[in-house]
Amino acid sequence: MGPDHPHYSKAFELGREIAKLLDCTSWTGAGPGLMDAATKGALQAGKPVGGFKIGKEAGEWTASNFHSYLPTETYLTCRFFSARKHGLVDAAVRNKGTDRTAVVALPGGIGTLDEMFEILALIQLQRIGSELPVPFIVMNYDSFYKNLLEFLDDCEYWGTVSRGEVASLWKVCENNSEALAYLAGFYHLSPLD
């Protein structure tokens, strides 16, 4: 999903607005597509960014272990997805009331789903290492995750997931305004104008 994809501009705007709202460092997978959009959005907000890049990422950076525009001190290149997941989880941990973090899952593929569900399981089992709750948002742009959400409803029907269990662990948002309002409410902040 490059710059010509409608989700790219939405992810860019969301990255910018979350960075401003939470006044935080934005951590991404430092790869192409929507990760790139969120990173550039946070940079446009003038906030620090960091990343956990996979050495063999799909797309334009596959041939290089280097990121094209981030200074090397702002990201790590990981060999395995597990290392990236550990880094992203560490970035989300909240141990003080002043820590403002969030996990935001943008539309993505198998790697995104892997990261989403591992982090979700850590939150569910209270093994994320955070003393305080961490908001988890799924961006369902244009109903991207519709079939996944229906599958989880089927899991509830069959009893493999308790009723309301997954819904209690994350917030599914259809648009950026909904996500920003949720974060503002979670952290008792005034929404940005």
Side-chain angles (χ1 to χ4, degrees):
M1 295 183 185
D4 57 339
H5 196 282
H7 293 175
Y8 188 96
S9 59
K10 292 175 184 181
F12 177 90
E13 176 190 314
L14 186 64
R16 182 186 67 223
E17 297 306 314
I18 287 177
K20 290 192 302 192
L21 178 68
L22 300 185
D23 191 25
C24 63
T25 299
S26 296
W27 292 89
T28 72
L34 300 189
M35 292 180 282
D36 182 60
T39 299
K40 286 181 177 175
L43 285 171
Q44 188 184 68
K47 302 300 180 184
V49 298
F52 300 97
K53 184 183 176 323
I54 299 297
K56 286 196 154 194
E57 191 75 66
E60 63 202 72
W61 295 320
T62 300
S64 168
N65 285 336
F66 300 102
H67 193 284
S68 60
Y69 60 83
L70 288 179
T72 56
E73 67 272 10
T74 64
Y75 68 94
L76 298 170
T77 300
C78 308
R79 185 172 178 195
F80 300 107
F81 272 94
S82 58
R84 174 154 83 185
K85 286 187 287 188
H86 286 289
L88 292 171
V89 166
D90 284 348
V93 168
R94 296 181 60 227
N95 289 323
K96 299 181 301 205
T98 56
D99 293 338
R100 289 188 225 148
T101 68
V103 174
V104 179
L106 297 166
I110 293 170
T112 299
L113 292 173
D114 175 49
E115 291 166 348
M116 281 173 61
F117 281 100
E118 179 155 345
I119 294 170
L120 189 69
L122 291 172
I123 291 172
Q124 174 198 34
L125 299 172
Q126 298 178 352
R127 296 288 185 263
I128 197 167
S130 184
E131 292 182 23
L132 298 169
V134 175
F136 189 126
I137 297 174
V138 176
M139 294 310 301
N140 192 31
Y141 294 142
D142 303 314
S143 299
F144 183 88
Y145 285 113
K146 177 181 179 277
N147 292 337
L148 175 66
L149 298 171
E150 288 173 355
F151 167 75
L152 292 170
D153 287 342
D154 287 344
C155 288
E156 286 188 3
Y157 172 80
W158 290 105
T160 58
V161 174
S162 297
R163 195 153 304 280
E165 179 180 5
V166 176
S168 72
L169 300 172
W170 65 18
K171 171 73 174 164
V172 178
C173 296
E174 304 300 321
N175 57 58
N176 292 351
S177 297
E178 188 180 350
L180 293 165
Y182 174 75
L183 287 173
F186 187 94
Y187 285 112
H188 311 291
L189 302 169
S190 298
L192 297 171
D193 294 327

